[in-house]
Amino acid sequence: MQTLRIAAILALLLFSQVLCRPQSSDQKDDDYPGDGGKDYEDPEDLEDSDIGRGTSVSPPVILTRPLRVRVSVGTTVEFPCVVKNGDNEVIQWSKGSEPLYFGGAVMTTEPDRIFLAANNSLIVNDVTEYDTSNDWTCTVVMQPPLEIHHSLQVVNQPTQLTEHRSLAVWPAKKITVNESMGVEFGCDSQSKSRPEIKWSLKGKAIAEVPGVSSKNNYVFIEHATRHHAGVYQCLAEDRSASPEHEAIEVVVNYSPFIEVEHDTFHTGLGIISEISCEVDAHPHAHVKWFKNGNVVPQDEKLHHHEKNGKTLHKLIIEHTRKEDLGTYKCKATNDLGEASKDVVLTGAPAKPVLNHGKDRHNQKAHMIRWRVQSFSPITEYKLEYRMKGNENWIEVQPQVTDGQENNFVVESHFENLLPGVYQVRLLARNDFGWSPQSSIHEFRKEIVANEAQNVKGGSSTTRPLAALTALLVVSTRVFTCL
Ligand SMILES: *[C@@H]1O[C@H](CO)[C@@H](O)[C@H](O)[C@H]1NC(C)=O
Ligand SMILES: *[C@@H]1O[C@H](CO)[C@@H](O)[C@H](O)[C@H]1NC(C)=O
């Protein structure tokens, strides 16, 4: 895996070397020792996903964000300028009105100190206070030109003095992006000891956050999603008891996302019905409810409250009538987009569930108890079972008894089953229709000691179904709630 990755990186490096090297790139690029320099993003990282995407038709863009750097006298500074689709364009560097490089042409009077790397980065060695400028500009010469301006502040302070406060965040302590945009940010340690920068988001190491990568002191998010929002902590691991740390808050604006815990709500006539949908959006979404394409009038029937940064929107119907049943749509809208989801308000029974999920069995019978919620009396049950592997279900109709409040209990007894694995499922019906099908429950009928002789070693699952059903007596009984 690691070897593969290294091979891929090497391939990319070669690729970008071929593509990105300015026409008359200077040989001394490769001599740059890189000491004391900062570690900025590698263009290879940023271009990873673009290779093979057919970039020739797209206009050039500068991927690098403006840097604001504050360093001490004598430091080496690198100003990156990563240009996507810019292979045929001339890159110009200048400081204020002073030209430094134009394509491969050297214009600066200090080419030994200020030089252009093959990756378009401008590298300034041994900075002095005269290098302080808000206008270190990289320009892609085209019509209209593309530019970014880096700023550099060189302070005349021995490094020791800045040591205790040497962790700087870039580009800001709070960054706001729209979803699917790229984000990059970093923490720069100007400490001489060059501590390792460790990143985390909500207590998780950055490597565990999907879609986020980090390299040296920088974090890259290629396509921001709502899951990337939060406070990123950077920690300068210097093995001391109180390592320096900083935080960068990333705010992601994203279009609404609707989560419905239940998409069907069960109710009955004359009672209060409540349907809801949970909306996750930033900024907050405006929510409207629709029924059959018409907006449900917005009055006191609508409620919403916050929950873990999401908003639960409820539609409450005080006294449910038959015409209130049906399919509703909740539609959430904010500046970035909209989302909608259908939820059903029905009078039919809810999906039957196993009671405690526990079966009771003795030597003769196997008993399964189900629970069904219904706001109208149950009129009918349909229980189906089969030996696992058989195609056809055997249908029985458990007897209906009264429930307590809205809860109905069904007990089904299976007697004299042959050993094997069985599957069983249940449906319930009231005046409004059938419930959803329960999940399939499986149970095993064990070989009981005195039956074992009858089984004669043959695997019971291979016996024909006819033989099985002939032997089978099923009694289902229903008890009122305990
Ligand atoms: C650009 O090249 C220089 C010199 O080879 C290197 O030190 C630097 O890390 C590179 N920068 C980026 C952004 O790849
Ligand atoms: C983010 O999205 C909003 C709404 O669509 C738009 O007005 C704004 O310009 C976008 N911001 C950026 C940085 O793209």
Side-chain angles (χ1 to χ4, degrees):
M1 196 57 208
Q2 197 62 22
T3 334
L4 262 182
R5 186 175 299 167
I6 289 166
I9 290 171
L10 279 175
L12 286 176
L13 268 165
L14 280 174
F15 187 75
S16 60
Q17 289 290 315
V18 170
L19 288 182
C20 307
R21 187 171 287 271
Q23 272 98 343
S24 62
S25 155
D26 218 308
Q27 207 37 52
K28 65 181 171 239
D29 286 352
D30 301 318
D31 300 334
Y32 170 60
D35 58 328
K38 294 158 173 295
D39 301 301
Y40 299 101
E41 71 278 17
D42 280 345
E44 286 78 21
D45 275 3
L46 295 163
E47 286 171 5
D48 266 4
S49 58
D50 295 315
I51 289 169
R53 227 192 248 164
T55 49
S56 58
V57 286
S58 317
V61 279
I62 299 181
L63 295 177
T64 306
R65 303 250 184 137
L67 280 181
R68 200 167 300 144
V69 186
R70 187 171 183 270
V71 292
S72 304
V73 169
T75 323
T76 295
V77 173
E78 180 195 348
F79 295 121
C81 184
V82 179
V83 181
K84 185 165 122 182
N85 308 323
D87 303 333
N88 301 321
E89 312 300 332
V90 173
I91 308 291
Q92 180 192 324
W93 274 102
S94 53
K95 178 193 162 203
S97 57
E98 180 192 337
L100 301 171
Y101 285 91
F102 187 86
V106 184
M107 327 270 292
T108 172
T109 52
E110 300 174 278
D112 293 333
R113 191 174 71 87
I114 302 176
F115 64 85
L116 183 64
N119 53 24
N120 289 336
S121 286
L122 188 73
I123 292 167
V124 186
N125 279 313
D126 197 13
V127 296
T128 70
E129 281 158 298
Y130 298 107
D131 292 321
T132 295
S133 166
N134 287 334
D135 218 7
W136 290 90
T137 306
C138 171
T139 308
V140 179
V141 182
M142 55 187 286
Q143 221 26 268
L146 297 175
E147 299 187 335
I148 52 157
H149 305 273
H150 295 301
S151 70
L152 173 65
Q153 192 193 359
V154 181
V155 288
N156 191 5
Q157 261 172 355
T159 321
Q160 270 85 347
L161 284 185
T162 55
E163 193 78 76
H164 68 283
R165 195 77 217 143
S166 59
L167 202 55
V169 299
W170 169 79
K173 283 186 77 83
K174 184 170 178 176
I175 309 170
T176 303
V177 285
N178 287 352
E179 67 185 334
S180 84
M181 282 175 48
V183 201
E184 18 172 315
F185 50 88
C187 276
D188 272 330
S189 173
Q190 268 123 54
S191 160
K192 268 268 169 64
S193 58
R194 302 197 54 80
E196 186 191 350
I197 300 286
K198 291 192 167 162
W199 288 95
S200 62
L201 172 65
K202 296 168 195 156
K204 251 191 192 175
I206 208 80
E208 289 164 30
V209 183
V212 181
S213 58
S214 71
K215 183 155 184 194
N216 302 332
N217 305 351
Y218 291 84
V219 172
F220 308 92
I221 302 171
E222 204 179 341
H223 301 287
T225 70
R226 61 202 176 107
H227 305 294
H228 294 134
V231 176
Y232 290 74
Q233 303 276 355
C234 71
L235 179 98
E237 183 56 274
D238 57 2
R239 318 243 165 263
S240 73
S242 54
E244 262 195 278
H245 53 90
E246 264 297 353
I248 296 177
E249 183 184 1
V250 175
V251 177
V252 182
N253 291 324
Y254 50 92
S255 64
F257 188 88
I258 299 181
E259 289 162 21
V260 280
E261 205 181 325
H262 310 284
D263 52 11
T264 305
F265 294 82
H266 298 271
T267 189
L269 301 187
I271 64 172
I272 297 183
S273 302
E274 202 175 280
I275 58 179
S276 62
C277 73
E278 194 173 86
V279 179
D280 185 5
H282 191 91
H284 273 306
H286 180 68
V287 171
K288 271 187 177 162
W289 286 94
F290 293 83
K291 168 114 193 274
N292 303 328
N294 302 317
V295 181
V296 175
Q298 201 161 358
D299 50 22
E300 70 287 336
K301 285 204 262 178
L302 299 178
H303 291 254
H304 55 88
H305 68 264
E306 296 279 320
K307 181 183 140 193
N308 308 332
K310 297 168 188 173
T311 312
L312 189 66
H313 292 264
K314 284 184 181 174
L315 173 66
I316 297 166
I317 300 165
E318 293 290 346
H319 199 81
T320 309
R321 300 158 305 165
K322 198 163 181 177
E323 53 269 35
D324 292 323
L325 303 178
T327 302
Y328 289 77
K329 185 187 285 299
C330 88
K331 185 169 164 192
T333 312
N334 72 3
D335 281 351
L336 285 102
E338 60 174 51
S340 63
K341 197 106 184 182
D342 285 347
V343 295
V344 173
L345 183 64
T346 175
K351 178 175 164 172
V353 288
L354 280 185
N355 203 358
H356 310 307
K358 284 205 186 81
D359 302 352
R360 269 198 249 135
H361 34 239
N362 56 32
Q363 296 212 338
K364 296 196 78 176
H366 188 95
M367 190 269 280
I368 302 168
R369 182 180 292 150
W370 309 79
R371 209 153 23 99
V372 184
Q373 194 190 40
S374 171
F375 292 89
S376 313
I378 299 274
T379 53
E380 183 182 354
Y381 291 113
K382 187 162 104 182
L383 183 116
E384 292 175 304
Y385 72 96
R386 65 183 176 191
M387 190 179 256
K388 193 174 178 179
N390 282 346
E391 201 181 316
N392 298 320
W393 293 93
I394 300 157
E395 190 180 317
V396 284
Q397 282 188 307
Q399 191 195 332
V400 176
T401 54
D402 290 344
Q404 265 191 4
E405 305 207 331
N406 315 311
N407 289 308
F408 295 78
V409 171
V410 190
E411 267 186 8
S412 32
H413 292 254
F414 297 84
E415 281 173 21
N416 301 326
L417 289 181
L418 282 182
V421 177
Y422 290 85
Q423 296 182 316
V424 54
R425 62 186 191 186
L426 181 70
L427 283 167
R429 179 152 110 158
N430 66 14
D431 283 347
F432 294 95
W434 286 102
S435 71
Q437 181 92 252
S438 74
S439 316
I440 293 178
H441 173 59
E442 283 189 2
F443 66 90
R444 175 183 292 277
K445 174 75 172 108
E446 302 289 354
I447 302 176
V448 192
N450 58 358
E451 275 173 7
Q453 293 116 8
N454 305 336
V455 178
K456 286 212 188 99
S459 163
S460 58
T461 50
T462 59
R463 290 195 177 195
L465 181 68
L468 168 70
T469 46
L471 281 167
L472 211 61
V473 184
V474 176
S475 86
T476 33
R477 269 175 247 141
V478 185
F479 296 100
T480 313
C481 218
L482 304 171

